[in-house]
Each structure stands twice: as C-alpha cells, then as structure tokens.
C-alpha cells in the first residue's frame, strides 16, 4: 500500500485530527503542528503522534518541515490562520474542512460557532461541511467534497455544531482518501 506523507495543522481541540489519525489508512502522519497552545497537541501526543506548538515564525518553520520530511499533503483540521500566498504557491496540496456549505458562510471570521450562529439566524434547513483545496484566499479554493445535514428544528448553535461535527469527521476522511487515491493514479 502506498501512503502519502502528511502533516496536520490545528488551532484547537483536535477532534478532526483525532478522527483522521484513528481512521485514515492512506496517509502517514509525520506531525501535528499548532499555531497556539491548543489541547489538540496533547490529544495528538496521546495518539503517539509527533506534535508541537510552534510559537514563532509558524509558517516558515512548518514550510521547513514540509521540505525536510518530503510532505506530500497538508491537512488543515480546525486550523484558523490564513495561509500565506507564498506558502500555498510552493507547498504540496493543502486540504481544509469548513463547517458550512461553502461558499455560504466562508471567509475571514467565519469559523466554528460564528458559522453555526449564521445558519441559525438565517433559519437554514440544511448546512453541512465542505472540504476544499486551499488557495491564497479564505475558503475560496476549489470545493472538493461536501456533506449536507438537516438542521430543521434545531434551536441552538451548539446543537448545529454537534450535528455538523459528526459529518465533518466522516467527510474529511472520505475526502482525504479520495484525494490521495487520485494523486496515486
């Protein structure tokens, strides 16, 4: 079986990272890196993964790791910073998951509970998650795969978040596997 050498970037608790690490069999996770002191680093270490909080020069240091480790795919699993254009241009493919049906509720400031609040306020009957290939703009890259969920009757952003998180965990693994298989052909 051929594997793609991967790193995962996080900014939070790392539940998507954990779902990937536990279920994905087509990537070799060479490290998990966070731009802040996040619980996801502890979660990754508990899974036996190399994990590090990088306090300064985050993108430069991660880019050095990408080159040194010959990383073939970068996965953003709850990573909140905008990826600099120079990084996107010279890096291997970058996949991100967003907790909404892009292009709706994407862009700067649209993450986590902020997205779910917008869904609630708009009284949307459906929301979901989108996996997209990262480009130099927030949430504007090519949509790779989506998963829709009904939120009809849900009354809080927390209820919406819980339902979307379940689909995120399944969708992201499916998208990563599909993407890797395409790359291996």
């Amino acid at each position: 079986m051929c594997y793609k050498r991967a790193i995962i970037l996080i900014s939070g608790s790392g539940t998507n990272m954990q779902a990937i690490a536990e279920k994905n069999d087509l990537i070799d996770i060479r490290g998990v890196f966070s731009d802040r002191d996040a619980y996801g680093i502890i979660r990754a270490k508990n899974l036996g993964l190399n994990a590090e909080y990088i306090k300064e020069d985050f993108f430069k240091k991660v880019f050095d790791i990408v080159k040194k480790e010959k990383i073939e795919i970068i996965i953003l699993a709850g990573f909140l910073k905008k990826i600099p254009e120079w990084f996107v241009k010279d890096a291997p493919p970058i996949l991100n998951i967003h907790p909404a049906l892009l292009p709706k509720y994407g862009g700067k400031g649209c993450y986590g509970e902020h997205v779910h609040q917008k869904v609630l306020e708009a009284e949307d009957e459906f929301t979901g998650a989108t996996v997209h290939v990262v480009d130099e703009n927030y949430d504007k890259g090519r949509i790779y795969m989506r998963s829709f969920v009904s939120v009809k009757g849900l009354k809080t952003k927390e209820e919406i978040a819980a339902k979307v998180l379940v689909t995120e965990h399944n969708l992201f693994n499916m998208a990563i596997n599909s993407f890797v298989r395409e790359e291996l052909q």
Side-chain angles (χ1 to χ4, degrees), residues 5 7 9 59 62-67 70-76 83-95 133-135 179 183:
R5 297 169 65 88
I7 59 169
L9 306 184
F59 290 107
V62 168
F63 194 78
D64 290 345
I65 292 165
V66 166
K67 293 301 175 195
K70 297 179 173 74
I71 298 303
E72 298 168 286
I73 186 169
I74 299 171
I75 298 164
L76 307 184
I83 308 294
E85 190 171 339
W86 67 265
F87 189 101
V88 173
K89 180 178 173 268
D90 293 330
I94 305 169
L95 290 183
V133 180
V134 173
D135 66 10
F179 193 86
E183 294 281 313

Side-chain angles (χ1 to χ4, degrees), residues 9 59 82 123 137 157:
L9 306 184
F59 290 107
K82 185 177 183 293
E123 298 179 0
N137 301 300
K157 64 185 176 191

